[in-house]
Amino acid sequence: MASTAPSHTPAAGSAAPPRVLTVAGSDSGGGAGIQADLKAMLALGVHGMSVITAVTAQNSLGVQGYWELPAEAVRAQFRSVVDDIGVQAVKTGMLASVELVATVSELLAGVDAPVVVDPVGVSKHGDALLAAEAVATVRELLLPVATVATPNLHEVAQLTGVVVEEEKDLPAAAEAVLALGPRWALIKGGHLAGDAVDLLAGADGERHWYRAPRHDNRHTHGTGCTLASAVAAELAKGRTVEEAVGAAKEYVTGAIAAGFALGAGIGPVDHAWRTRG
């Protein structure tokens, strides 16, 4: 008897979903980096693709080591994807070294799609993921090609010298980041006391504030990667920057609330929170 294909099988020739490329490091524990990016992209209905810049040995307790890939390997991955498949948005994360920051900046300058730059400096556990000498290259080459830069407060201080201690300091932080060249700066205030508040600032003076209740959950590994990937996914779907950030904030807030214990340290956010029963 002939079998019948299940009703959920997509029709042959279905249109591809929007395509988003992440350029970042691999997290062997699956909570951050490339792994978090691809999980978030799948959850938000886009096709995720990757350029791996570094491999980390990482778990819930921290980063035990990392090994960056050669620039030619990063360049080859990028050209392979972009030249054949194309992209509707790009997100960058861990770039590790001066050479990789410079290489990726050059590649992004030739892409006609929104670029979300998460200027990763340290891990959730405080482990360095960017060489100290590469910070200047991020300032000079990477941020000027960003549509949206998404630094946390540590990264704001690292890049600009501006220290944010309370919510009223966020506009000054945004201005300092915008001065480095991105079209938009999303300053993440998650490390402040009180509600989780973020400020999106545009180079034209536009300002948007995003607030969410703070959840009593220490399992927040991967929040920065996830937020930046969610913004890129929403931009790829055609949302404006302010709409994309709002949708991404709502998704990440739910993922934090559903974060779960894993190993002996800090567990990950739950990228699949919307689909769990």
Side-chain angles (χ1 to χ4, degrees):
M1 181 175 179
S3 62
T4 302
S7 59
H8 63 265
T9 301
S14 295
R19 292 147 286 167
V20 183
L21 177 63
T22 169
V23 183
S26 168
D27 174 1
S28 55
I34 288 283
Q35 287 80 357
D37 298 340
L38 295 178
K39 290 174 187 178
M41 291 172 189
L42 179 63
L44 293 172
V46 301
H47 175 68
M49 305 169 291
S50 63
V51 170
I52 297 175
T53 59
V55 175
T56 71
Q58 186 171 173
N59 56 26
S60 70
L61 297 173
V63 179
Q64 290 76 49
Y66 74 79
W67 299 264
E68 63 192 68
L69 270 67
E72 58 265 32
V74 171
R75 185 182 298 275
Q77 291 175 81
F78 188 95
R79 289 264 62 93
S80 179
V81 171
V82 173
D83 294 348
D84 173 49
I85 301 172
V87 293
Q88 272 76 57
V90 183
K91 176 260 178 182
T92 71
M94 175 186 180
L95 299 182
S97 69
V98 171
E99 185 177 19
L100 290 184
V101 173
T103 297
V104 171
S105 301
E106 177 191 348
L107 291 166
L108 293 175
V111 171
D112 185 22
V115 174
V116 179
V117 170
D118 185 15
V120 174
V122 298
S123 75
K124 178 69 69 180
H125 304 86
D127 302 295
L129 297 176
L130 180 70
E133 62 272 19
V135 174
T137 315
V138 171
R139 287 191 202 103
E140 296 162 11
L141 298 181
L142 184 61
L143 289 178
V145 300
T147 307
V148 188
T150 65
N152 62 27
L153 301 186
H154 174 85
E155 291 153 357
V156 168
Q158 184 182 49
L159 292 166
T160 71
V162 174
V163 176
V164 175
E165 296 181 339
E166 49 190 309
E167 185 178 316
K168 69 178 180 61
D169 301 327
L170 291 175
E175 290 299 330
V177 173
L178 287 171
L180 299 175
R183 287 164 49 193
W184 295 84
L186 176 61
I187 310 300
K188 300 178 294 190
H191 294 151
L192 297 176
D195 286 348
V197 58
D198 304 325
L199 172 61
L200 174 68
D204 60 357
E206 199 169 339
R207 298 288 182 271
H208 301 273
W209 293 86
Y210 302 86
R211 295 179 184 278
R214 186 175 299 279
H215 294 284
D216 184 18
N217 184 357
R218 74 187 189 95
H219 301 300
T220 56
H221 185 48
T223 50
C225 305
T226 300
L227 179 65
S229 295
V231 172
E234 298 297 340
L235 289 173
K237 292 191 284 189
R239 291 183 183 263
T240 65
V241 172
E242 55 269 34
E243 290 170 345
V245 171
K249 174 81 169 176
E250 190 269 336
Y251 169 70
V252 170
T253 299
I256 291 171
F260 50 87
L262 203 67
I266 299 172
V269 301
D270 186 357
H271 296 92
W273 67 273
R274 285 177 172 161
T275 59
R276 298 199 194 279

